[in-house]
Amino acid sequence: MTAIPRFPFRVTHTDGAARAGILETPRGTVATPCFMPVGTKGTVKGVAPERLAAAGAQIVLANTYHLSLRPGSSTVRDLGGLHRFMGWQGPILTDSGGFQVFSLMDTARVDDDGVTFRSVYDGSLQRFSPERSIEEQQRLGADIIMCFDECPPATASVDAVAAAVRRTTAWAARCRKAHAEAGGLGSDGPQMLLGIVQGGVDAALRRESALALLELDFPGYAIGGLSVGEERGPMLETTAATAALLPEERVRYFMGIGDPQGVLDVIERGVDLFDCVLPTRTARMGTAFTPQGRLNLRNSQHTLSDEPLDPECPCTACRTFSRGVLRHLVTQKEMLGLQLLSEHNLTFLSRLVAGARGAIQMNSFAAFRKQWIGA
RNA sequence: GGGGGGAUGCCCGAGUGGCCAAAGGGAGCAGACUGUAAAUCUGUCGGCGCUGCCUACGGAGGUUCAAAUCCUCCUCCCCCCA
């Protein structure tokens, strides 16, 4: 099989199934486990690049579906490529648009060759295929790109999930080929292409999916198709079982988890990377992550609170404002409130994950987990 | 001085005899959010001893089986003419 870019990844420590590692990309090193903030349209909503860095982000996401429609991948390329576009010189990962097949299902039609969408921007008919997704991702120029997959909802029947697995496998081969034909190069340098394991919470289908993708020899693998409405228990079992099927020396990416407990749960099961809109979205809705759990700042009980959100947190919100003031900013829909809480939640999560990494290095992850979550 | 319009629940505002504790919006209160169609969505939103009762549509009277809705007077507000 044609050689394609493979950024060096090594696991430096393990603690049970949990791993600490280092991924070296051309634009910088990612210490894993690592949470990746999501910047769908080329911006992590409400968080300027320097604040993102201050919040501990090492690598950020962007979305191929959205950027290919607005402003268009050629425009992004012509404006200097995705890194300049986002004002972020660190590593970037683009999602393939596969998730939009799931989240925009009402307006999408899937067939073996690809997906026909109705653009959410102007209603125009759009066609996405594995080749098209790779081509768009090449033009965008992220460092890590994803195979175009099919992500069925938790309510899908086993047959539908099986069909999605087979389609995802076939599409992965086509993505792999399209990527290789371009020499693994995007408009702005080498790109590492990751495969995505599907299969819902069905052990046999997960296995089928993983084994098929292993044959395609990707430099890293994502666990997709989870966090789509299934129960936590089966989700975690599936994560553990899937991670166990993947090569130890390749990076593992759980797609779409961002609540503090969930993050520790997947780290415990051998995941290195994960992303989620939850911290930034809930922040925009007025909810802050704290060591004591989620805090809804809109609640009237905080009106007169003079305490910081989290006295230990170094973020702007916690250093500068009381809960009472933050509540005011949130309830009055002041932009600053959304920005501050977004920065805070990202800071909280990266500190949590950094702590987990340190604990894995010292072989004390179980104790660390207990300290944060209890039990 | 003359003519006209209006006063509705915390706010704005619909309703012009029964289906009205009264549309809709806002505010308030609470909940959800997990590879972002999301600064979004959902619920609640007079009181109580809550399958019913009480209070309520500027105030006071009246007509009617029944009034936020019709009549009379009063109070206040707005507009036009002089």
Side-chain angles (χ1 to χ4, degrees):
Chain A
M1 210 165 304
T2 322
I4 50 170
R6 175 169 305 227
F7 302 154
F9 174 70
R10 60 177 202 285
V11 174
T12 58
H13 304 266
T14 59
D15 182 352
R19 305 129 58 92
I22 295 283
L23 175 67
E24 289 175 54
T25 82
R27 284 190 172 81
T29 297
V30 178
T32 66
C34 173
F35 173 76
M36 307 183 284
V38 180
T40 304
K41 301 184 192 180
T43 162
V44 176
K45 296 183 197 303
V47 186
E50 55 270 30
R51 293 285 86 211
L52 205 49
Q58 303 182 66
I59 168 172
V60 298
L61 291 220
N63 185 272
T64 304
Y65 171 80
H66 290 284
L67 287 175
S68 71
L69 292 173
R70 292 286 188 283
S73 55
S74 304
T75 302
V76 172
R77 180 197 56 206
D78 294 348
L79 286 171
L82 194 52
H83 294 82
R84 274 194 69 192
F85 189 86
M86 294 184 73
W88 178 261
Q89 294 316 307
I92 299 176
L93 181 153
T94 44
D95 188 22
S96 62
F99 182 72
Q100 277 61 41
V101 178
F102 158 70
S103 67
L104 305 174
M105 203 160 33
D106 295 347
T107 64
R109 210 189 70 243
V110 187
D111 58 69
D112 285 341
D113 186 57
V115 183
T116 304
F117 287 98
R118 193 127 325 246
S119 162
V120 297
Y121 296 98
D122 62 6
S124 62
L125 229 42
Q126 299 287 333
R127 180 76 183 162
F128 251 62
S129 64
E131 291 77 14
R132 168 86 191 281
S133 175
I134 295 299
E135 185 189 326
E136 296 286 351
Q137 295 191 76
Q138 286 165 342
R139 269 200 291 270
L140 290 170
D143 306 283
I144 303 177
I145 65 177
M146 302 301 298
C147 282
F148 188 62
D149 63 331
E150 183 186 350
C151 177
T155 52
S157 66
V158 178
D159 286 350
V161 175
V165 163
R166 274 150 220 155
R167 208 168 256 153
T168 295
T169 301
W171 288 358
R174 286 162 59 184
C175 286
R176 179 74 170 69
K177 180 160 176 275
H179 181 242
E181 283 170 0
L185 285 174
S187 63
D188 208 10
Q191 297 180 304
M192 180 161 86
L193 172 67
L194 305 186
I196 304 177
V197 180
Q198 285 291 339
V201 292
D202 186 288
L205 287 172
R206 280 284 161 186
R207 184 175 184 82
E208 176 186 331
S209 179
L211 295 182
L213 291 171
L214 285 176
E215 293 213 4
L216 292 169
D217 190 34
F218 286 100
Y221 292 91
I223 301 172
L226 294 177
S227 273
V228 291
E230 75 283 3
E231 302 272 306
R232 261 298 151 100
M235 185 203 89
L236 292 176
E237 282 170 36
T238 304
T239 303
T242 306
L245 295 168
L246 298 173
E248 296 204 359
E249 74 286 3
R250 301 202 187 174
V251 73
R252 300 170 188 164
Y253 163 24
F254 185 110
M255 307 185 82
I257 192 157
D259 63 286
Q261 161 140 216
V263 154
L264 296 183
D265 285 340
V266 299
I267 290 173
E268 185 176 38
R269 288 161 178 76
V271 166
D272 308 306
L273 298 172
F274 33 87
D275 73 288
C276 199
V277 305
L278 192 74
T280 45
R281 180 179 288 171
T282 56
R284 273 178 277 125
M285 310 311 166
T287 299
F289 291 162
T290 76
Q292 291 74 42
R294 295 190 202 184
L295 195 81
N296 187 343
L297 282 160
R298 292 177 330 208
N299 289 172
S300 56
Q301 62 176 119
H302 304 116
T303 306
L304 289 173
S305 172
D306 197 35
E307 298 174 68
L309 214 41
D310 175 358
E312 306 289 306
C313 179
C315 84
T316 312
C318 292
R319 283 195 337 259
T320 317
F321 298 106
S322 65
R323 294 181 180 190
V325 174
L326 292 170
R327 168 177 147 85
H328 170 253
L329 295 176
V330 165
T331 58
Q332 295 317 301
K333 301 183 164 66
E334 283 292 336
M335 289 186 282
L336 184 60
L338 314 184
Q339 295 167 354
L340 288 171
L341 287 194
S342 296
E343 182 189 331
H344 169 78
N345 282 353
L346 292 178
T347 303
F348 178 88
L349 218 50
S350 38
R351 290 175 68 227
L352 177 68
V353 174
R357 183 171 200 274
I360 292 166
Q361 289 174 320
M362 295 186 301
N363 232 271
S364 59
F365 181 77
F368 177 84
R369 191 189 179 291
K370 190 174 250 172
Q371 173 199 325
W372 277 88
I373 309 299

